Amino acid sequence: MKTLTLLRHAKSGWDDPVTRDFDRPLNAKGKRAAETVGRNMRSLDLAFDHVVASPAVRVGETLDAVVAGYGRTLAPVWERRIYLASAATLLDVVHELPAAAEHVLLVGHNPGLEDLVLMLVPAAPDGLRALVEEKYPTATLAEMRFDIADWSAVAAGGGDLRRFVRPRDLDPSLGPDER
């Protein structure tokens, strides 16, 4: 049995005058959401034996804030291919995960993460997958389990979505901004 947890980076700041998207930092709400998600991870006693993440600034800052709430160190392997990756590229990364890793945290971006969940989890008329179809918000955690011995066996429709935790589920003030 393998468990793959996906975490989308927290809300980033579009007002920051950076020249590259890669360098965009989190905004204050994003930092708060990531720390809240980290506290929730601690309360659920989630543990990871391997972490792989996009090297984008907003992902690093998300992990820093998650760790502040989680209270445990996360030492990611920085994987450039995750930055703005498609679901197919993310699946390649998953297929290459270390065989000894049982519980992996992958931190990245949308739409790739959302598309990966929708690819790996069979369609169902209701339940958590329907929430993913609706939207995979920033700082949201999706946990899937696979009845496999090796990551190379992860395949479309083979996952069981066990958890989909949005920041607004933990604190309503972290929901979508009013327009």
Side-chain angles (χ1 to χ4, degrees):
M1 190 71 72
K2 302 281 188 186
T3 303
L4 177 63
T5 302
L6 305 179
L7 175 63
R8 183 177 175 200
H9 69 78
K11 191 171 236 0
S12 58
W14 286 96
D15 297 334
D16 205 287
V18 296
T19 54
R20 299 184 316 160
D21 173 74
F22 185 89
D23 298 322
R24 216 162 10 97
L26 296 186
N27 65 22
K29 184 176 181 180
K31 290 177 184 174
R32 220 172 33 138
E35 190 168 338
T36 300
V37 169
R39 282 193 302 274
N40 181 251
M41 289 166 54
R42 181 180 60 215
S43 73
L44 296 170
D45 200 28
L46 299 184
F48 308 99
D49 50 22
H50 188 73
V51 179
V52 62
S54 161
V57 168
R58 60 191 176 274
V59 171
E61 290 184 359
T62 296
L63 283 168
D64 290 344
V66 164
V67 165
Y70 185 49
R72 296 180 188 172
T73 301
L74 295 172
V77 172
W78 302 106
E79 173 56 70
R80 180 92 178 158
R81 290 180 297 165
I82 296 172
Y83 176 65
L84 303 181
S86 67
T89 298
L90 292 173
L91 185 58
D92 288 343
V93 171
V94 169
H95 285 159
E96 296 167 14
L97 291 170
E102 299 293 327
H103 300 274
V104 172
L105 176 63
L106 188 152
V107 190
H109 311 266
N110 246 10
L113 292 179
E114 178 178 329
D115 293 344
L116 184 63
V117 173
L118 297 176
M119 174 196 298
L120 297 178
V121 176
D126 57 8
L128 295 179
R129 189 179 191 280
L131 293 176
V132 178
E133 289 173 355
E134 181 183 313
K135 185 173 185 182
Y136 195 127
T138 54
T140 293
L141 196 81
E143 181 186 274
M144 295 172 285
R145 289 212 182 129
F146 301 88
D147 189 9
I148 56 172
D150 190 83
W151 291 105
S152 63
V154 171
D160 177 23
L161 185 60
R162 308 293 300 248
R163 196 181 315 270
F164 187 69
V165 182
R166 303 168 296 188
R168 69 176 170 216
D169 299 330
L170 307 171
D171 177 349
S173 74
L174 296 172
D177 294 327
E178 298 297 318
R179 296 200 181 225

